[in-house]
Amino acid sequence: MFGLDNKDTKLLLIVAVMALFAPFILNPFPAGSGMAQFNAGYPDLMQRFVIFGIFAIGFNILFGLTGYLSFGHAAFLGVGSYSAVWVFKLLGMNVLPAIALSVVVAGLFALLIGFISLRRSGIYFSILTLAFAQMSFNLAYSVLTPITNGETGLQLTLDDPRILGETARADGSIPVTNILPGVEMRSSFDMVIGPWAFTFNVGYYLCAIFMLLAFYLAIRIFRSPFGMMLRAVKSNQQRMNYTGLNTRPYTLAAFVISGMYAGLAGGLMASMDPLAGAERMQWTASGEVVLMTILGGAGTLIGPVLGAGFIKYFENIFSKLNDNVLHGWFAFMPDGLEEVMVALVHPFVGKGWHLTLGILFMLVVIFLPGGLVEGGQRVGRLFRRRDIKSSDAEADAARQRKAAE
């Protein structure tokens, strides 16, 4: 199906089902319960899951297949966001042209940076990409202020021309992004089933469709001769060069494709919230996508999506756990013990959620070098061994009964 083998088709269908039913899957706890704070089924967070999933999938095509570690991919994310906002300012609020331009501009920018950076490999390549990203950040922050609006960020105003759409709504407010006239990105439908509340958002499902398309394209790249060539580059690029094969066009193509994925993610971010700032191009954003890919499983198909969801969940859920919530958790304890437990847990939640994430990342790198995907595979093998042992035991018992008869 879709030109994929059975295994890849099942994987694509699993991702599609997870994306389709995300409002149910991510809201396991009743709305009024004490555990409802761990629900993640609200539109803003679900959009971040899939947008950063796209970002990580694209980065994995470069890092997971070729082994080239880029510390500058946030530059393409920022360029995509700026391109989309300029479309909203000049043309109109339809997101499809904005997303298309984001992908094209990010691809051209990646072609320029990749052409220079890929003349080196290893740590030198990583440093070059980091340098270009920081140059882009500083240009956007202070030099190219007529284009980027500097530290304030590029925003929509009522003075924008929007030659193909309305410049203002009937109430005098700035128009909102839409897919089609009347179909706004922020439109949502709420479903209440008993104590559970589920929200279905137009913007989320558009992002989910793009993520599925990006995931499908990544599968085709991984299974193609082009993907095999990229794996060969990762395995031993020097040996390939000795055979007379020029690997640079392949690595440059991978770099550009990866940059286009980042541009798509940036365009979708701007489509959800029409604002572009230089902070999206900082080195910390590039480091975040590296963590996502390694945590989920570099070189695997679904790993980057899992890593992106894992980190964004921690960022948005655990960072909101303050001392009041902790006191509510340990209220059943005596006062002195309650204060001790709150003091012990406090450094790992709220503003200290990075500490928890860092510890988890170290544990994954030490015990699961293949990331969360390897953890799932180990659990699967464990259950299969148990099934085999139980079936062998049943067979032995059957043989013994037959011999006794």
Side-chain angles (χ1 to χ4, degrees), residues 288-345:
E288 191 174 42
V289 75
V290 175
L291 290 179
M292 291 174 182
T293 306
I294 295 176
L295 186 63
T300 64
L301 286 167
I302 199 172
V305 180
L306 297 177
F310 189 86
I311 288 181
K312 286 301 165 184
Y313 181 85
F314 266 82
E315 179 182 341
N316 289 270
I317 301 299
F318 276 67
S319 62
K320 295 179 181 178
L321 299 179
N322 53 34
D323 285 354
N324 292 331
V325 175
L326 296 180
H327 279 291
W329 286 1
F330 303 113
F332 65 94
M333 296 181 174
D335 291 342
L337 186 58
E338 176 186 339
E339 294 295 335
V340 171
M341 293 302 299
V342 170
L344 290 174
V345 178

Side-chain angles (χ1 to χ4, degrees), residues 105-157:
V105 174
L108 293 175
F109 193 45
L111 179 63
L112 173 63
I113 293 180
F115 182 77
I116 300 172
S117 300
L118 287 167
R119 295 176 179 273
R120 294 292 179 266
S121 60
I123 189 62
Y124 304 104
F125 167 80
S126 301
I127 295 300
L128 278 173
T129 55
L130 176 61
F132 275 115
Q134 285 303 104
M135 286 166 56
S136 302
F137 166 75
N138 284 292
L139 287 172
Y141 192 81
S142 60
V143 179
L144 300 177
T145 50
I147 299 175
T148 63
N149 203 30
E151 60 180 328
T152 306
L154 192 63
Q155 306 176 47
L156 303 182
T157 67

Side-chain angles (χ1 to χ4, degrees), residues 188-266:
S188 297
F189 167 71
D190 294 325
M191 176 188 294
V192 178
I193 303 177
W196 283 270
F198 308 102
T199 301
F200 302 87
N201 176 257
V202 171
Y204 163 73
Y205 279 103
L206 177 68
C207 295
I209 290 172
F210 275 108
M211 189 200 70
L212 291 175
L213 293 175
F215 189 74
Y216 171 74
L217 179 59
I219 295 176
R220 298 303 299 265
I221 291 174
F222 268 64
R223 306 304 183 214
S224 67
F226 173 67
M228 292 291 291
M229 185 65 71
L230 297 181
R231 285 194 180 89
V233 170
K234 182 178 181 179
S235 177
N236 198 323
Q237 185 176 5
Q238 190 174 20
R239 182 175 296 177
M240 294 181 68
N241 291 331
Y242 285 158
T243 64
L245 182 63
N246 184 10
T247 59
R248 187 174 298 172
Y250 296 97
T251 54
L252 180 59
F255 192 90
V256 172
I257 292 171
S258 184
M260 293 173 74
Y261 269 78
L264 172 61

